[in-house]
Amino acid sequence: MKNIIATFFLATSLLGYSQQKTIDQKVEELLKKMTLEEKIGQLNQYTGDNTVTGPLTINPNKQQEIKEGKIGSMLNVIGHKYTRQYQELAMQSRLKIPLIFGLDVIHGHKTTFPLPLAEAASWDLKAMELSAGIAATEAAASGIHWTFAPMVDVSRDPRWGRVMEGAGEDTYLGSRIAYARVKGFQGNQLGDLNSVMACAKHFAAYGAAAGGRDYNSVDMSDRMLWETYLPPFKATVDAGVATFMNSFNDINGIPATANKYIQRDILKGKWNFQGFVVSDWGSIGEMIAHGYCQDGKEAAEKAVLAGSDMDMESNAYRNHLAQLVSENKVPMSVVDDAVKRILRKKFELGLFDDPFKYCNKERQEAALNNPEHTKAAREMATKSIVLLKNEKSILPLSKDTKTIAFIGPMVKPKRINHGFWAVDLKDVDSTYIVSQWEGLQNKVGKKTKLLYARGCGVEDTSKAGFQEAIDVANQADVVILSIGERWNMSGEAKSRSNIHLPGVQEDLIKELQKTGKPIVILINAGRPLIFNWTADNMPTIVYTWWLGSEAGNAIADVLFGDYNPSAKLPMTFPREEGQIPIYYNHFNTGRPSINEDKVYKSAYIDLPNSPKFPFGYGLSYTTFKYADLKLSKQKINSNETIEVTMTISNSGKFAGEEVVQLYLQDKFGSVVRPIIELKDFQKIKLDAGETKTLKFIIDNEKLSFYNQALEFKSEPGEFNLMIGSSSTDIRLNSTFELIP
């Protein structure tokens, strides 16, 4: 190995990489030395042999092709040992161009944080940036250069399994979170040892897949695309995101992988994105199944011309791009542009200076066992827990409670707390994951007796365990019931037509209710679920999502009041699937249903229009009083701003955090406008009895929208301003006018 490294540094010196030149100069010099075959190699990405997230391409010549410079990147190669082995092969190639190693580091590496949708519920941008930064530190120490995150797809359909991977339904909140996560992953600059390249995905509009069915078609207006689905992607560009990944879906009949409008015209044109675009797994080849391309050759042609730079696992570029260039169907300038984008990132990562800089055993061991990471994961998990109901103030529990019955299929397992998209690390067991049972054990004193019964499974129909659960509940002072969906029922290819609580879990709740014991319901899920009977009849409900490796400790912190829950829902919870898609910032109609008036109104005859739990909703153990709303001006022009001030007081008995949400309504426009739109928020902490004054700024950007000509601009008129604790719990109101 020493000879390989020595040879590399000699070669790079001869090639001029070590001279004082700009990265662009180095890229141009290297490009001139490359054959067409070597250029195409940089556009080719293979998976390792361990973990796959799509149809696997079997290639017995993989190692030889790396030596020949025919592979530019690999994914699913994890750990300093394995990434070094593959990088050593790349150092045997003619030009010694290093590999980039990518991995789905979605919500943590070894230290697992809550699912991204759960983190979004925290509305805590600094905490989310920190969690992404810790994930980057651990991944980079394990040989990884690139994460396929953040997913910034807006989605209004909880049937879509990948909602767990995003930030929910709102464009503004999603954009703020997208920016924070990119900053967290990439740190101060690429090439730092605590930084990995981020990847904004899936470009674009994947969250609007028809029927909530994964990989399905998207059909929408350009105005809807620009106003709702593109802004989070633009936020990642503003944050300096290194890469983009295109999406599996077609948009208005054109697969995203070959969609020149979104990749060339918008991303690389209007937005001037300087990074590179990678296909999703096999998406170039899948355009044949779309019915858009006849064969792999046509797929390669359309993808590269549209702006897809790197081919993940399709082999389309590898097999066909050279012929397409020779036939003048693909200009060499298009290939060169894609290659330069990739080489530029390799230089920025510092891989030409030291291809093994991320392959360090000692640094990996230190990063994967850093107690500060564990502490941050616990704090992030507590911030992500949503208190949906606490009508009888059962929570917080007393640590002096004599007997607690902890019941349900989620209580004792460990791995499930990771949720979907957890990194599968070799040689790392699950003992570091804190189960919900262990979390409770860690919290209560020796005088408290803990009883356990599984009760039932997640999906099965057996009620054989009901009686044991009832017997255990009857012995307890309080019952905690942990239920939900399986950890892998939400995620890629995990669309569900029925998002009710699965199996007989709600039947178990009904039987336990008959005991008359105080019951706390914990719901573990990766998406909004439907649980109407429980929501209507049980006074205490906590939505825990899937919280990661510190789940057990975090849940116990909230249950016993060591952390006062502060999370707010980033997605609307429907009453029934028939309401989907359901979202808070919808347009009005000519016949709006007011106060559930259904007579010739836009309404269901068998269901209220309103959701079960609205966007922005979440309770606390304390209460907050909103007051003293003041606007610095009642009329402004487009060059002016309004300063909005208000006071918020903690009027309860516990210290707590509140997410103060500012919404606007443009009352009349050249196109219809949403009935309410989130335009700002602040999360603040107040001691009991404390009051603070908050300030918001209303500027022209907050008043602007995409008109029919796709111009982003404001229009004179009257606006409603609303500040509250959720999209339906508005505490303060005012109006102002934008004048010409």
Side-chain angles (χ1 to χ4, degrees), residues 662-721:
L662 184 149
Y663 296 90
L664 294 178
Q665 181 195 20
D666 189 347
K667 295 182 68 175
F668 303 98
S670 59
V671 295
V672 294
R673 306 297 301 129
I675 64 167
I676 186 171
E677 291 182 284
L678 180 71
K679 289 296 183 180
D680 208 343
F681 64 89
Q682 293 185 41
K683 187 169 187 176
I684 60 162
K685 184 174 183 179
L686 296 170
D687 292 330
E690 184 179 7
T691 297
K692 286 185 179 179
T693 299
L694 301 186
K695 180 174 72 174
F696 299 92
I697 300 296
I698 305 297
D699 58 18
N700 192 58
E701 183 176 358
K702 287 185 170 66
L703 307 181
S704 297
F705 60 93
Y706 286 95
N707 62 23
Q708 198 167 13
L710 295 183
E711 300 167 319
F712 186 70
K713 59 195 305 184
S714 61
E715 295 178 353
E718 190 175 1
F719 290 79
N720 288 330
L721 183 147

Side-chain angles (χ1 to χ4, degrees), residues 126-137:
K126 290 183 179 179
M128 284 182 266
E129 183 175 340
L130 177 62
S131 77
I134 289 173
T137 297

Side-chain angles (χ1 to χ4, degrees), residues 36-66:
L36 177 58
E37 188 177 56
E38 288 169 331
K39 292 177 180 179
I40 293 171
Q42 290 303 299
L43 313 185
N44 186 31
Q45 184 183 58
Y46 279 154
T47 185
D49 299 325
N50 300 321
T51 303
V52 298
T53 56
L56 179 62
T57 300
I58 303 300
N59 183 358
N61 300 316
K62 190 180 299 182
Q63 294 190 4
Q64 183 59 34
E65 289 189 5
I66 295 174

